Amino acid sequence: MLLEGLKVVEMATWVAGPGCAGIMADWGAEVIKVESPDGDATRAFYPDTAESPGNPIFSMENRGKKGVVLDIAKPEGRRALIALLRQADVFITNVRPGSLRRMGLDYESLKDELPRLIYAAVTGYGLTGPEADVPAFDITAFWTRSGVARATIPPDQEPFPSRPGFGDHTTALATLSAVLAAVHERTATGRGRLVETSLIRAGAYAISWDLSLQLRYGQVVTAQPRDERPVPISGFFRTGDDRWVCIVPRTLDCFTNMMIAIDRPEILADERYDLPIEDLAIVREVRAMIDEAFAGMTLAEASQRLTEGDLAWAPMATLAELADSDMAQEAGCFEIVADGWGGSFRAPAAPARFPEGAPPVGRPAPKLGEHTREVLEAAGLRPDEIDALL
C-alpha cells in the first residue's frame, strides 16, 4: 500500500531532510532515523518528557520512524551504517558534502558497493562550487539568499524572517518528488542514482514567477509599497473590527462586482474608472473608497458581500482559527499522533492524502536510540558488535 516495503535510512537533522523522510513514513515506508549520540537538534525544542509528553516539533518531522544512535565518526559506527544501507532502498542525508567525503559516505564512495541505493543529498547551496560546504538554514539560503525575502518584503518595510521550517518544507517536498522519480526509474533499470536538492534551488523555484521575468527581461517589479500598487481592488483591506481580507481579481467583471459590494456602483458609469486604470492617482482614489467601505463593515458583513459578488477572497486567519476550522479538518490538515507515553495529540498532516486508502498515520516519533538494538540485529550485526556500539 503506497510506500509499504520501501526501506529508507535517514541521517539528517533539523527539517528539510527529516521532513522528506517523515512524509515517506506517513505513507507507509519503513524509515530508520540515524542520529548521533547527541541527537537531532530539534529534540531540544519542547523536550519530550513524562511531564510534557510528545515534542510537537520533533514529532512533526519524525513520527513513525525507528530511532538508531550511531557514532559514525568511529569505524564501527560507519560499518553499522553501511550494514543498514545494504538493506535500504533510499538514503537521505543533509550532512555537509565535505564531511561525508571525509567519512567515505558520499555518493561516489558508496555507489559501486551499493548500486541499487538511491542517495538523496539535501544541501544549502548544492554539492559543487565554492559554497558547497557553507552552513545554511532555510532562513539564510531559501529565504534570504534566493531573493524570496527581497521579493516579498516591500522596500518601505524593515526585513523580517520567514517562519521556522517554511523553506525547509518546500525543500522536503522537492526531495520527496526527486526520490520517488528515482524509485520509479529503478524499477526499469535496477540501479539507484544520486538525487540532489538544495535550499537555494527550492527558493529559486518557489519565487520562479518573478525569477522568470528577471531572467527573461533583466528586471522585475516585486513587492511594492501599498500606494504604488497598480491594481486597486487587489491586496489586503482592513475591516472595522480590525480583521484583514485578501482579495484577488480574476476577471474584469471583478471590478464591477467589487464596486457593487462596497455600494459604489455609480462610479462604473464614470469613464475615469474604465479598465485598465493607468493613472496611479485614480488607482489610489479607488483603493481609498474600498478602504473606507471595509472600515465600516465587520468581517462577517464583508464576507457576505464578497461571497455574494463571487470574488476570490479570504480572511487572514490566525493559526488558532485554522486549528478550529471545520473546513481545515475536512480538507485533511490534521492528524492524531501518539505521543509515545500513552497519550496523543493533534499535529499537522502531510500535504496530500489518498481517499481510497492509505497507511494509518499516528505512530510516535522515536526516543533517542529507541530502536538501535532491534534495527542493528535485523541488519545482521552480532550481539557483541551491538553491545560495543551501545
Side-chain angles (χ1 to χ4, degrees):
M1 185 182 294
L2 294 183
L3 300 185
E4 186 177 355
L6 197 71
K7 192 163 187 175
V8 179
V9 173
E10 170 221 307
M11 188 174 70
T13 59
W14 292 96
V15 178
C20 168
I23 296 175
M24 297 182 80
D26 275 1
W27 293 352
E30 179 186 358
V31 179
I32 297 169
K33 182 178 181 70
V34 176
E35 297 178 77
S36 74
D38 294 329
D40 190 322
T42 56
R43 288 186 180 274
F45 294 87
Y46 309 96
D48 179 24
T49 65
E51 294 73 30
S52 180
N55 175 338
I57 301 301
F58 182 77
S59 180
M60 175 64 220
E61 319 304 338
N62 296 289
R63 63 192 182 217
K65 300 177 184 178
K66 294 180 178 178
V68 171
V69 165
L70 293 176
D71 186 351
I72 59 170
K74 296 179 179 179
E76 58 269 28
R78 182 187 182 280
R79 286 195 296 271
L81 177 62
I82 296 299
L84 296 181
L85 294 180
R86 286 197 184 98
Q87 297 183 343
D89 297 290
V90 180
F91 179 44
I92 299 172
T93 184
N94 64 359
V95 177
R96 282 188 268 175
S99 296
L100 291 167
R101 282 193 298 273
R102 287 190 293 274
M103 293 184 290
L105 292 172
D106 59 312
Y107 176 69
E108 291 300 320
S109 299
L110 297 178
K111 67 178 184 179
D112 292 335
E113 183 179 0
L114 304 168
R116 287 181 53 81
L117 183 67
I118 293 162
Y119 187 116
V122 184
T123 68
Y125 300 107
L127 285 172
T128 59
E131 297 186 58
D133 274 324
V134 171
F137 281 93
D138 70 337
I139 193 174
T140 58
F142 176 95
W143 177 251
T144 306
R145 188 72 181 275
S146 71
V148 172
R150 190 65 186 83
T152 302
I153 304 169
D156 60 338
Q157 293 186 30
E158 181 179 344
F160 54 83
S162 62
R163 297 307 301 155
F166 192 79
D168 282 320
H169 282 131
T170 303
T171 308
L173 290 173
T175 308
L176 175 65
S177 64
V179 166
L180 295 181
V183 169
H184 174 71
E185 180 190 54
R186 196 183 64 178
T187 62
T189 66
R191 293 192 61 84
R193 65 153 64 231
L194 172 66
V195 301
E196 176 209 345
T197 56
S198 62
L199 294 166
I200 189 76
R201 183 165 178 166
Y205 182 76
I207 200 68
S208 58
W209 177 296
D210 290 328
L211 180 58
S212 64
L213 296 173
Q214 178 68 46
L215 293 172
R216 177 66 178 85
Y217 300 119
Q219 61 181 359
V220 60
V221 176
T222 55
Q224 301 162 287
R226 192 168 188 262
D227 279 350
E228 302 298 319
R229 295 172 190 166
V231 182
I233 70 170
S234 178
F236 291 87
F237 300 90
R238 193 195 299 263
T239 62
D241 51 353
D242 201 27
R243 298 298 304 271
W244 290 93
V245 295
C246 176
I247 301 167
V248 180
R250 295 174 291 120
T251 65
L252 294 179
D253 291 342
C254 291
F255 184 80
T256 299
N257 295 346
M258 175 66 89
M259 294 305 102
I260 294 171
I262 66 169
D263 295 329
R264 296 300 300 267
E266 74 280 359
I267 77 167
L268 299 171
D270 189 331
E271 63 182 16
R272 293 187 307 141
Y273 302 105
D274 289 347
L275 300 180
I277 303 175
E278 297 181 353
D279 186 335
L280 195 54
I282 301 296
V283 170
R284 292 169 181 157
E285 182 183 330
V286 174
R287 189 174 290 121
M289 294 179 195
I290 301 172
D291 283 337
E292 180 182 8
F294 280 118
M297 302 181 200
T298 65
L299 176 60
E301 291 167 340
S303 170
Q304 181 177 350
R305 293 186 181 218
L306 292 169
T307 301
E308 289 175 351
D310 195 31
L311 291 154
W313 77 282
M316 182 183 284
T318 65
L319 291 177
E321 288 170 331
L322 180 69
D324 291 338
S325 167
D326 291 338
M327 175 275 296
Q329 180 67 39
E330 188 69 23
C333 294
F334 314 115
E335 298 282 4
I336 303 297
V337 179
D339 63 16
W341 298 82
S344 62
F345 58 93
R346 278 205 309 164
R353 63 179 173 180
F354 304 89
E356 293 180 322
V361 175
R363 293 173 297 156
K367 294 178 173 56
L368 183 60
E370 179 179 353
H371 305 98
T372 301
R373 184 175 294 278
E374 168 195 334
V375 168
L376 294 182
E377 285 178 351
L381 273 72
R382 301 189 311 270
D384 61 307
E385 293 176 309
I386 297 172
D387 289 340
L389 285 167
L390 293 176

